[in-house]
């Protein structure tokens, strides 16, 4: 009830010297406090309520957004943040809204960077997988070596190339795996590469395969010792065994080609050496036959005919050898043209019937239905049939030889039919062993057959090669004592091959000009050809040159007209209906009144051998140029009286033969045995014509021609080359326009040479041709 208050008493020095106790009554105070306590309680209540309200407002305005921002930060860290979760806060204009918007932008940037980082990681992973796959699946072996040449890495291709697993080579020295002969080279290369950064030149080395044999590889080293990612030498090894083998094959191929060229050159040289004496044999045998008849020593003629026939046979053998050489060297060409198969059979039958009847054999022809035509090398097809049929006739006596021809549709889904020529005989037959050697060059059934029946063994070999060139084949079946059957199969449409095929089916192309009126005094030329265009072209080309063209569109009309007008020259095509040119030529040469008329074959058929054998004076293959045709026809103009002929040949026998031949015709003869003597002779005499050999000592025929055409006083002298040399294309090009004619020793008749000499002298200068 009382409030006691003690008050201290202090002295001057602020020291307590005593105390006074005062008592106050608290009744009034209690009364005042009680009056204010209610107000205080109300105020406190209001304050608490205000605090609670403010706390609620603060929670809604601040605490919740902060919690959301905190949760968003956690979600961003866990990559589960949804930017739309802060849309409510970010729309607020206050600081929290600004903070939320900034957080959203930051989250978007973080997300974008995270996506870029993930893309980069994925690209890096794919790149690593890609390059690893390249290395692991590369055909080349990739090794990583340290500075001591120890293998630290080997690619998977090690097993496919050398048969080892990568683990078998790890931590081994590469030098211990190299062939002893290559060890020094490889060691020097690695030392050089280790001292200088960069890639080494390729080197070849041999490594042992797991099975023990050595494999040649090409190696390239790259110094990456300073590259922290590699810190080693990269060694790349490539298996070049196949390439080395191909190089060996190429070298062998080149050696074989060189040997083939040497063989061809040898054959060409041998043909020259053989043709030279054969020329003398054939020439002297012809002269001796004439002299024997003149001296009424007819008993000598059969022996002389045998000598002449043997010489011709040897010459044919040389030509066969050259043909075979051309085929093997790839220089034999196909001349493709369309022709009727039935006409071909008729021609072959007519030509070979006398030969087949020689051994009292009978020829039977069997034709299939609708044989139609072929597009092939007609000359080679005919030559093969001649060969097969004459071969059958030789080995058959008193028997039957059958030629069957069939056309069969293709079996390989192509539109090209096949023509099958089957030659069956009832002759001596062959054993299987003899058949296996049949198509080898210079090989017959056996030695006994060769001795009894003769032959060179080249005919069937050449026939088989001709078939192969045209895409066909020849097969044989035979039984001893029963006979043989040869089957030649050829495509009806032979395909052209680059470098080995010429299309000769086009018509002659001669310059067009106005046709002058015929010259009644012109040299009469009889043209026998079933194509009116040929007559027109020849008339346009030749009328202005002093020739008079007489035309016949068939063989029968041509023979009748030849008997009527007796032309100076006859031009004759081979492929004509009803009767071909070969038959017409045979009739002309068998008629005593017409046999002396020169016949020039102008045809698409490139078969000069048959043409000359049947008596043709010249052989031209369509298309024919105007100059070429004029060169040949000019031989048959009116001739001048005999003059002086210079015979240049290093072979005394050939000079004597030509002297004997020309003496009988009244020619004056000059002789020279080498090129220098030719020039010395020309310094004192100017001959009417020179018969020139090409193969002479001191100065050869080419040198003589060069001197002749560069001297104004000599360039007009006509030159006829008579040589046994097989001329190259370049040599023929050189002689083109520089000499009048080229004759091959042994392949011309003396009558033809005399005609040639007369015509060339009558032509005068400036009309040189080959």
């Amino acid at each position: 009830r009382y409030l006691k208050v003690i008050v201290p008493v202090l002295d001057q020095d602020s020291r307590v010297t005593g105390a006074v106790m005062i008592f106050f009554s608290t009744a009034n105070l209690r009364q005042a406090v009680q009056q204010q306590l209610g107000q205080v309680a109300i105020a406190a209540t209001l304050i608490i309520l205000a605090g609670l309200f403010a706390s609620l407002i603060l929670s809604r305005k601040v605490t919740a957004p902060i919690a959301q921002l905190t949760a968003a930060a956690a979600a961003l860290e866990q990559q589960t943040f949804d930017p739309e979760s802060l849309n409510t806060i970010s729309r607020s204009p206050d600081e929290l809204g600004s903070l939320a918007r900034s957080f959203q932008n930051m989250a978007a940037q973080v997300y974008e960077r995270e996506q870029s980082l993930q893309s980069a990681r994925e690209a890096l992973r794919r790149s690593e997988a890609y390059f690893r796959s390249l290395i692991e699946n590369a055909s080349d072996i990739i090794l990583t070596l340290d500075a001591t040449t120890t293998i630290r890495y080997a690619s998977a291709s090690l097993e496919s190339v050398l048969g080892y697993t990568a683990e078998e080579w790890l931590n081994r020295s590469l030098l211990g795996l190299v062939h002893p002969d290559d060890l020094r080279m490889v060691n020097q290369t690695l030392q050089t590469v280790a001292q200088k950064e960069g890639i080494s030149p390729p080197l070849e080395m041999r490594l042992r395969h797991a099975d023990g044999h050595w494999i040649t590889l090409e190696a390239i080293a790259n110094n990456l010792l300073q590259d922290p990612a590699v810190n080693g030498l990269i060694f790349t090894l490539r298996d070049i065994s196949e390439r080395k083998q191909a190089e060996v094959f190429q070298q062998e191929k080149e050696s074989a080609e060189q040997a083939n060229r040497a063989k061809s050159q040898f054959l060409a040289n041998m043909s020259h050496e053989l043709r030279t004496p054969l020329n003398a044999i054939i020439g002297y045998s012809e002269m001796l036959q004439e002299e024997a008849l003149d001296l009424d020593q007819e008993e000598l003629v059969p022996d002389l005919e045998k000598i002449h026939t043997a010489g011709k046979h040897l010459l044919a053998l040389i030509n066969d050898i050259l043909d075979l050489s051309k085929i093997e060297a790839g220089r034999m060409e196909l001349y493709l043209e369309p022709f009727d198969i039935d006409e071909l059979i008729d021609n072959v039958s007519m030509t070979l019937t006398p030969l087949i009847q020689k051994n009292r054999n009978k020829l039977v022809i069997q034709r299939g239905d609708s044989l139609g035509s072929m597009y092939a090398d007609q000359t080679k097809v005919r030559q093969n049939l001649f060969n097969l049929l004459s071969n059958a006739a030789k080995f058959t006596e008193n028997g039957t030889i059958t030629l069957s021809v069939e056309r069969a549709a293709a079996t390989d889904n192509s539109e090209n039919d096949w023509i099958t020529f089957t030659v069956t005989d009832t002759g001596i037959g062959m054993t299987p062993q003899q058949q296996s050697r049949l198509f080898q060059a210079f090989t017959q059934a056996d030695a006994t057959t060769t001795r009894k029946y003769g032959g060179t063994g080249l005919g069937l070999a050449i026939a088989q090669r001709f078939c192969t060139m045209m895409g066909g084949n020849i097969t044989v079946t035979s039984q001893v004592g029963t006979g043989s059957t040869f089957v030649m199969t050829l495509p009806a449409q032979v395909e052209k091959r680059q470098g080995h095929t010429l299309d000769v089916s086009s018509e002659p192309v001669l310059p067009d000009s106005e046709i002058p009126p015929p010259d009644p005094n012109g040299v009469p030329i009889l043209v026998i050809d079933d194509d009116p265009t040929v007559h027109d072209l020849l008339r346009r080309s030749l009328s202005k040159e002093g020739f008079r063209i007489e035309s016949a569109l068939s063989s029968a009309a041509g023979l009748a007209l030849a008997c009527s007008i007796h032309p100076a020259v006859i031009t004759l095509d081979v492929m004509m209906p009803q009767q071909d040119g070969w038959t017409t030529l045979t009739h002309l040469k068998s008629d005593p009144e017409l046999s002396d008329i020169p016949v020039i074959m102008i045809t698409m058929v490139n078969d000069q051998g048959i043409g000359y054998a049947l008596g043709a004076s010249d052989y031209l293959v369509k298309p024919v140029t105007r100059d070429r045709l004029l060169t040949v026809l000019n031989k048959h103009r009116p001739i001048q009286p005999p003059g002086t002929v210079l015979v240049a040949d290093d072979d005394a026998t050939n000079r004597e033969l030509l002297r004997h031949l020309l003496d009988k015709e009244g020619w004056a003869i000059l002789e020279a045995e080498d090129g220098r003597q030719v020039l010395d002779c020309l310094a004192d005499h100017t001959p009417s014509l020179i018969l020139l050999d090409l193969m002479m000592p001191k100065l050869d025929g080419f040198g003589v021609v060069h001197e002749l055409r560069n001297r104004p006083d000599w360039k007009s002298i006509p030159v006829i080359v008579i040589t046994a040399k097989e001329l190259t294309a370049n040599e023929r090009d050189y002689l083109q326009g520089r000499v009048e004619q080229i004759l091959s020793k042994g392949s011309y008749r003396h009558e033809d040479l005399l005609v040639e000499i007369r015509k060339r002298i009558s032509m005068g200068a400036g009309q040189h041709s080959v």
Side-chain angles (χ1 to χ4, degrees):
R1 296 183 180 180
Y2 295 96
L3 179 62
K4 183 172 62 176
V5 178
I6 300 176
V7 179
V9 178
L10 305 175
D11 59 8
Q12 294 180 350
D13 296 325
S14 299
R15 291 180 295 187
V16 179
T17 61
V20 178
M21 184 178 298
I22 303 173
F23 292 92
F24 292 93
S25 176
T26 60
N28 294 332
L29 181 58
R30 287 198 301 272
Q31 185 178 358
V33 170
Q34 291 176 351
Q35 291 178 351
Q36 296 296 326
L37 185 59
Q39 298 177 355
V40 171
I42 294 172
T45 301
L46 292 175
I47 290 172
I48 291 170
L49 291 175
L52 292 174
F53 182 75
S55 175
L56 180 60
I57 296 300
L58 181 62
S59 174
R60 293 185 60 188
K61 295 291 187 181
V62 179
T63 305
I66 291 176
Q68 287 183 329
L69 289 172
T70 302
L76 181 63
E77 182 179 1
Q78 299 176 2
Q79 299 182 359
T80 60
F81 171 68
D82 183 7
E84 295 183 357
S85 63
L86 296 179
N87 287 347
T88 303
I89 304 174
S90 63
R91 287 194 290 267
S92 176
D94 54 13
E95 289 79 359
L96 290 175
S98 177
L99 179 62
R101 290 192 295 274
S102 298
F103 191 89
Q104 285 179 321
N105 292 334
M106 179 191 69
Q109 294 177 3
V110 170
Y111 178 78
E112 183 178 349
R113 292 176 182 175
E114 183 65 24
Q115 291 298 316
S116 298
L117 181 59
Q118 289 183 358
S119 298
R121 288 172 179 168
E122 181 62 24
L124 179 61
R125 185 192 64 78
R126 288 197 303 269
S127 179
E128 290 177 348
Y130 174 76
F131 286 105
R132 179 174 293 277
S133 178
L134 286 180
I135 293 174
E136 295 298 330
N137 292 284
S139 59
D140 294 348
I141 301 173
I142 300 175
L143 304 178
T144 302
L145 315 177
D146 61 15
T148 64
T149 71
T150 300
I151 300 172
R152 299 303 184 196
Y153 169 80
S155 62
S157 57
L158 176 66
E159 185 169 2
S160 61
V161 176
L162 292 173
Y164 301 96
T165 63
E167 290 75 14
E168 291 179 284
W169 271 31
L170 292 180
N171 299 319
R172 296 179 63 180
S173 174
L174 178 64
L175 297 177
L177 305 168
V178 178
H179 191 283
D181 295 343
D182 301 336
L183 183 59
R184 181 177 179 182
M185 174 190 62
V186 175
N187 188 26
Q188 290 178 347
T189 301
L190 289 175
Q191 290 179 3
T192 302
V193 172
Q195 295 172 2
K196 184 180 179 180
E197 294 185 5
I199 300 176
S200 70
L203 73 152
E204 293 182 6
M205 56 187 295
R206 286 166 290 178
L207 296 176
R208 188 188 296 275
H209 192 275
D211 61 10
H213 75 280
W214 296 95
I215 292 184
T216 303
L217 300 105
E218 183 181 70
I220 298 178
N222 189 5
N223 185 349
L224 296 178
L225 289 170
Q226 305 303 319
D227 188 336
V230 179
N231 191 25
L233 301 174
I234 302 298
F235 216 61
T236 304
L237 301 170
R238 172 171 295 177
D239 184 2
I240 58 172
S241 300
E242 293 184 0
R243 190 181 78 187
K244 296 296 290 184
Q245 188 176 22
E247 291 175 356
V248 172
F249 288 159
Q250 180 65 24
Q251 292 175 356
E252 293 176 350
K253 177 176 177 291
E254 292 175 357
S255 298
E257 290 176 348
Q258 184 177 1
N260 196 39
R261 287 192 295 269
K263 181 195 72 175
S264 298
Q265 185 62 43
F266 169 77
L267 290 175
N269 293 338
M270 285 301 298
S271 70
H272 169 264
E273 299 300 327
L274 291 172
R275 280 173 174 167
T276 298
L278 279 175
N279 180 61
I281 293 172
I282 295 171
Y284 276 114
S285 64
E286 290 178 352
M287 287 194 326
L288 290 174
Q289 289 181 60
E290 295 175 1
E291 292 183 357
L293 292 174
D294 292 341
L295 298 174
D296 293 329
Q297 296 179 344
E298 296 183 1
E299 68 276 5
L300 299 178
V301 173
D303 292 335
L304 294 174
E305 287 179 347
K306 293 177 182 178
I307 295 174
H308 184 268
T309 302
K312 286 292 187 181
H313 177 73
L314 286 175
L315 184 62
L317 172 61
I318 293 172
N319 292 332
D320 283 345
I321 293 174
L322 289 177
D323 278 348
L324 187 62
S325 176
K326 287 181 180 179
I327 294 172
E328 293 178 347
R331 294 186 288 112
M332 179 67 73
E333 292 182 333
L334 294 177
Y335 296 85
L336 302 182
E337 59 179 326
F339 58 90
D340 186 82
I341 299 176
D342 283 310
E343 292 182 5
L344 173 69
I345 298 171
D346 292 340
N347 174 266
V348 171
S349 173
M350 182 182 302
T351 305
L352 290 182
T353 295
L355 177 64
I356 292 174
Q357 292 175 347
K358 182 179 179 181
N359 283 349
R360 300 169 300 281
N361 295 313
K362 182 176 67 173
L363 176 62
V364 176
I365 305 294
Q366 297 178 348
R367 310 171 192 246
D369 298 332
S370 303
L371 292 179
S373 63
M374 289 182 67
Y375 180 76
D377 190 321
Q378 182 177 192
T379 301
K380 292 179 174 57
V381 175
R382 184 191 297 108
Q383 183 173 339
N384 280 7
L385 289 176
F386 283 174
N387 197 301
L388 295 176
L389 288 169
S390 62
N391 201 57
K394 181 168 64 172
F395 296 106
T396 304
E397 293 184 4
N398 299 309
T400 301
I401 299 171
T402 304
L403 171 62
S404 302
V405 186
E406 298 285 344
R407 189 183 193 100
T411 59
D412 54 358
N413 297 324
S414 67
E415 298 180 357
N416 198 2
D417 293 344
W418 289 87
I419 310 299
T420 301
F421 300 88
T422 304
V423 176
T424 304
D425 63 63
T426 57
I428 61 175
M430 292 176 288
T431 65
Q433 184 179 7
Q434 292 171 338
Q435 296 176 47
S436 65
R437 300 193 303 265
L438 198 58
F439 296 106
Q440 298 176 12
F442 304 102
T443 302
Q444 287 195 325
D446 53 35
T448 304
T449 303
T450 304
R451 288 192 298 269
K452 182 176 180 180
Y453 295 96
T456 63
L458 285 176
L460 290 177
I462 293 176
Q464 181 68 284
R465 285 162 173 79
F466 281 165
C467 275
T468 302
M469 290 177 64
M470 290 185 283
N473 189 32
I474 298 179
T475 59
V476 60
T477 57
S478 183
Q479 186 174 352
V480 175
T482 302
S484 303
T485 299
F486 287 84
V487 179
M488 179 174 68
T489 306
L490 292 170
Q493 184 86 8
V494 175
E495 297 181 357
K496 298 178 182 179
R497 294 191 301 155
Q498 185 66 29
H500 296 281
T501 309
L502 299 177
D503 188 345
V504 297
S505 60
S506 59
E507 294 295 335
V509 179
L510 297 173
D512 193 11
S513 61
E514 296 183 0
I515 305 177
D519 183 2
N521 297 320
V523 178
I525 306 294
L526 173 58
V527 178
I528 305 177
D529 197 304
D530 63 329
D531 188 351
T533 304
V534 173
H535 297 269
D536 180 64
L537 290 174
L538 292 180
R539 184 175 294 107
R540 288 170 179 267
S541 300
L542 302 178
S543 295
K544 294 190 299 183
E545 303 297 331
F547 294 100
R548 185 178 80 250
I549 304 302
E550 303 289 344
S551 297
L553 295 174
S554 67
S555 295
L559 291 172
L561 195 56
C563 294
S564 173
I565 66 174
H566 206 85
V569 183
I570 298 175
T571 69
L572 178 62
D573 187 19
V574 171
M575 302 301 298
M576 291 188 296
Q578 298 178 355
Q579 182 172 292
D580 64 16
W582 302 131
T583 306
T584 305
L585 181 59
T586 302
H587 288 319
L588 288 170
K589 293 304 176 182
S590 62
D591 189 331
E593 299 296 327
L594 304 176
S595 60
D596 292 336
I597 300 176
V599 178
I600 302 172
M601 307 302 296
I602 303 179
T603 177
M604 294 183 295
V605 179
N606 187 16
D607 206 341
Q608 298 183 18
I610 293 180
Y612 288 129
L614 294 177
S617 299
D618 280 286
Y619 201 103
L620 303 179
V621 179
K622 297 177 181 180
V624 182
T625 65
R626 178 175 179 271
D627 292 341
R628 174 69 177 128
L629 181 59
L630 283 174
T631 297
V632 174
L633 290 176
N634 276 328
K635 296 188 300 183
H636 309 287
R637 292 182 182 274
I639 61 176
Q640 295 178 349
T644 303
V645 176
L646 172 58
V647 179
D649 197 314
D650 62 329
D651 189 284
T653 303
N654 279 328
R655 293 199 308 271
E656 183 180 354
L657 173 64
L658 291 173
R659 171 182 285 278
H660 185 86
L661 176 67
L662 296 173
D663 276 343
K664 293 173 59 177
E665 299 294 323
W667 299 91
I669 309 300
L670 299 174
E671 293 187 28
E673 63 181 18
D674 60 58
R676 291 298 177 190
Q677 287 189 10
V678 172
L679 301 182
D680 293 340
C681 184
L682 291 175
D684 300 326
H685 304 84
T686 302
S688 304
L689 179 137
I690 299 175
L691 299 179
L692 180 66
D693 186 21
L694 294 178
M695 306 295 288
M696 295 188 298
K698 297 184 180 179
L699 181 67
D700 63 14
F702 295 101
V704 172
V705 171
H706 176 76
E707 294 293 334
L708 289 173
R709 300 317 173 202
N710 285 303
R711 290 280 298 270
D713 51 338
W714 293 347
K715 66 186 305 181
S716 62
I717 302 174
V719 177
I720 296 178
V721 170
I722 303 178
T723 183
K725 176 179 174 57
E726 185 75 16
L727 296 178
T728 66
N730 290 335
E731 290 170 339
R732 285 191 173 275
D733 290 342
Y734 176 79
L735 295 175
Q736 178 71 39
R738 292 180 171 87
V739 302
E740 270 60 40
Q741 184 66 294
I742 298 177
L743 300 177
S744 180
K745 287 183 178 179
S747 64
Y748 62 90
R749 298 183 304 171
H750 287 166
E751 294 84 353
D752 296 334
L753 177 60
L754 292 174
V755 172
E756 186 72 22
I757 292 174
R758 297 190 191 103
K759 300 306 185 287
R760 292 301 174 184
I761 293 178
S762 67
M763 287 166 55
Q767 299 184 24
H768 313 301
S769 65
V770 177

